[in-house]
Each structure stands twice: as structure tokens, then as C-alpha cells.
Amino acid sequence: MADPELMSIGAFAKLAGLTASALRFYDDAGLLRPEQVDPLTGYRFYSESQLVRATRLRHLREIGMPLPTIGRFFTAGAQEAARLIDDQVAKVAVEATGIRQAAATLKASLGEGACLSLCVLPGPVLAAAVDQVLATTIHDPEIPVLGGVRLEADPDAISLTATDRYRLTTRTLVPSQPSAASWAGTLAGDDLQATTSRLRRSLTVTLEAGERTLDLRTVDGAVVHCRLLTEVFPDDRRLIGALPPLTHRVTVEKQQVVKALEQQASEKVGLRVAGGRPSLLLADDVVELDGTATGPDLTLWFELTTVYPALSHALGNDLMLDLRGPEHPATVRSADDGDLTTLIMPCRNPAS
């Protein structure tokens, strides 16, 4: 007779979010044995204490972990178990990237006409520009286009733009060969990110625009397809054009600022202009910066997670910050083999 404190397989399956057939399968696989089996009927019974293991088993299967690895997971210590999870997530990510690339290749072959050859760019420079701009994207299920990068090609320059609504970054590149035509499209950020290692190893990359993809052709003839997003990208030109005139201009050395942020990281960072000199306010410390500043005394505050990527991805070692007061975006500008412009929003004074 079954212990009255035990649950039937149906009741346990409901609590664990599994099916009875799945529980029988995991029993046969040796991963989740029932607490008791009726010798006459063969009915399986489970205890409440087994719910934790059953729930973990369900989650492990949801991330696609194979049964042998799950067996190792349940006998491993916490550190080893965490590593097994990370390994599985990395494996799934690689597979997902391959699937997206295969899907993009298939779509590119669906009755598409000739591609429009845009321009030729140095591969390492393009890869670095992609890294710089991708730092401003965000995965937002409600606004998926914020995970994309807007590419605009003109005869004289190529620009890459991304925004997460709190920052906006534009990277301009000068092509090795001028663009043959004007073109604009929004590229899937995940596809771009997956191409960077290949782009770095190619001396040049040719950009070719198709109906559904932007194709990146490397010197060895390989082609990587980046999907084109159909959602409307935010009008960055309108945003920039609506900015009020600057009130202050600060010029500092990137290396000094980034080093200070890394050594004394605080949740919020103050930028103070006083007596024509700039300084950083970090927790209880004040870091005087080598540089110049125009305009009356002013202190602006920024979230570290907003300001650090904007400064650390800047080009060269000379940073120019155009300020417009605490209610408007600041512009971070740098230039070296093209230019990089980032808008970042100030935050409230932490003292308030």
C-alpha cells in the first residue's frame, strides 16, 4: 500500500510541469526515480521533496541539455554544475547563429535579383566599428528594431547607427572605394555580431545590398548574410537636429577618464566644469582631469552603465564632450579613421 504522504504520478507531474509519460521516461533513464513503486500494479509514487530535482530536470531539458550531461549535472558540485549550464548555453548560441545564417542564405536565394554593390571597406576597421556601435543596441521584445544597426551608404561615407533610447551612437567610415550608390537599411544586430571575427581576418570586405539581406563578401570569396529588419528605425537625424545649442565644451584624454572610471567605479559619475577645468566626481573622490572646458560652472551626473561604454569605445585618445545642461543629451565625439558620435542622457543628481 502506498504511503499516504506520497503523490500519484499524475499529481506530481502537474506540480512539476511535466507529463506522466515524461516522468516514466526519466525513471527509465535513471534521472528521476519514484519514491515508491507498487509491486502489484506498478504505479509510481513521488514525494514533495523530489519537486526540486524534477523542476531542475525540466529546465535542463528546456535548454536542450542531453540526458548523459544531465546525469553528470545531478552528481556534480555547484561549480561544476554551473559550468555545465554555461557550456550548454554556449552550444545552443552557436547552433542558433548557424541556423540564422542558414535561414538568411535561404532567404537570399528566393527569387532575388542582382545585388547592389555598395562599397569596399577594410575588414578590421569594419569589425571594430561594428563592435563600437553594437554596444548601444538593446534586446527589447516590444521594440525589436532597437537590437538592429542602421547602415547608410553615400558616395563619400558609410555610417552605422544604433540606439537604446538612452544612448545613440553613430560611427562613420571612409570606404576604400567610394560607394556606387546611396542605400539605407537596418541590419539585425545578432547577425552583425556573429560576423566580426570573420571580418577581422579579411583585408577588405565588399558590401552588397539585396532585397532581404546585406551581404558581406570577404577576400576569400565567402559571403555572410545579415538580415534586414522591416521595422522603422528611430529618426536619428530628427533627434540630433532638435538638440538645443551647446552651452559647454569639454576636451579631455580618453585614457585618463576611462582609467579613473575603472579604478573607482561608482553607480553614478559626475562631470564638473569649474574655472575652465573639468573633473570627475566618483563616490567620495574628485579626479582632476587634464583638459579644458568652456562655459560657466556646471555639474552633470551620468549612470556609469551609460557613460562608460560611450567613453571606452571612443576613437583615439582625444575626447570632446558637448554639454547642454542636465535636461538634454550630451554629445561624446572622437575621430580617428572616421568619426564616432554618441549621445548620452544625464541622470538625476544622486544627492537629490
Side-chain angles (χ1 to χ4, degrees):
M1 183 175 181
D3 187 329
E5 295 186 359
L6 298 180
M7 291 175 275
S8 68
I9 189 172
F12 184 79
K14 185 175 181 180
L15 290 175
L18 296 166
T19 64
S21 60
L23 287 173
R24 287 189 285 268
F25 177 81
Y26 295 138
D27 178 12
D28 294 339
L31 296 174
L32 183 58
R33 300 290 194 188
E35 191 75 28
Q36 182 178 324
V37 178
D38 189 306
L40 297 178
T41 63
Y43 290 166
R44 296 168 169 87
F45 296 91
Y46 296 81
S47 66
E48 186 176 352
S49 63
Q50 292 181 286
L51 281 173
V52 172
R53 185 183 180 100
T55 302
R56 287 180 177 174
L57 177 54
R58 173 167 57 84
H59 290 321
L60 292 171
R61 292 299 284 167
E62 286 173 351
I63 65 173
M65 186 175 285
L67 295 180
T69 308
I70 292 177
R72 292 166 52 200
F73 174 90
F74 283 126
T75 60
Q79 186 173 358
E80 174 66 11
R83 186 190 65 79
L84 291 174
I85 293 173
D86 291 341
D87 288 348
Q88 178 61 25
V89 171
K91 177 183 176 183
V92 171
V94 171
E95 292 174 349
T97 298
I99 291 172
R100 284 195 298 268
Q101 287 294 327
T105 301
L106 286 170
K107 286 184 177 181
S109 68
L110 295 178
E112 187 172 349
C115 289
L116 175 64
S117 182
L118 297 179
C119 65
V120 178
L121 291 167
V125 174
L126 177 58
V130 169
D131 286 340
Q132 290 157 349
V133 174
L134 282 176
T136 308
T137 60
I138 186 174
H139 288 280
D140 186 337
E142 296 183 359
I143 314 177
V145 74
L146 297 182
V149 173
R150 186 71 171 174
L151 187 145
E152 298 183 1
D154 292 314
D156 298 327
I158 301 294
S159 66
L160 301 170
T161 302
T163 181
D164 62 1
R165 293 179 296 180
Y166 298 98
R167 295 173 295 163
L168 186 146
T169 299
T170 297
R171 176 73 161 98
T172 303
L173 299 172
V174 178
S176 305
Q177 299 176 15
S179 177
S182 296
W183 181 89
T186 304
L187 313 179
D190 290 341
D191 290 0
L192 267 182
Q193 189 170 39
T195 69
T196 53
S197 61
R198 182 174 296 180
L199 298 181
R200 288 191 185 93
R201 296 193 299 269
S202 181
L203 181 62
T204 60
V205 177
T206 302
L207 276 59
E208 301 173 343
E211 181 181 348
R212 301 177 182 87
T213 63
L214 179 77
D215 299 341
L216 305 174
R217 186 179 302 275
T218 56
V219 291
D220 60 1
V223 179
V224 180
H225 304 282
C226 290
R227 291 167 294 150
L228 296 178
L229 303 182
T230 57
E231 296 89 353
V232 177
F233 192 81
D235 190 345
D236 55 292
R237 286 191 175 87
R238 182 178 180 182
L239 172 63
I240 295 174
L243 292 174
L246 65 93
T247 58
H248 299 70
R249 174 163 287 163
V250 177
T251 303
V252 292
E253 294 183 358
K254 167 187 169 180
Q255 186 176 1
Q256 183 188 18
V257 178
V258 171
K259 183 178 180 180
L261 294 180
E262 292 175 345
Q263 291 182 342
Q264 305 180 53
S266 56
E267 184 178 351
K268 295 186 178 181
V269 177
L271 175 62
R272 184 171 66 189
V273 173
R277 296 298 301 273
S279 58
L280 290 179
L281 308 182
L282 302 171
D284 298 326
D285 195 12
V286 178
V287 179
E288 301 293 339
L289 298 176
D290 297 329
T292 61
T294 64
D297 292 358
L298 171 73
T299 299
L300 295 182
W301 292 89
F302 299 92
E303 299 283 351
L304 178 66
T305 53
T306 298
V307 71
Y308 180 79
L311 301 182
S312 63
H313 284 92
L315 305 176
N317 193 41
D318 296 310
L319 288 176
M320 185 177 294
L321 290 81
D322 291 340
L323 311 180
R324 302 172 180 85
E327 303 296 329
H328 300 285
T331 304
V332 180
R333 300 163 57 196
S334 59
D336 185 10
D337 191 14
D339 60 83
L340 180 67
T341 301
T342 302
L343 299 184
I344 53 176
M345 278 299 299
C347 65
R348 289 185 178 182
N349 185 333
S352 63

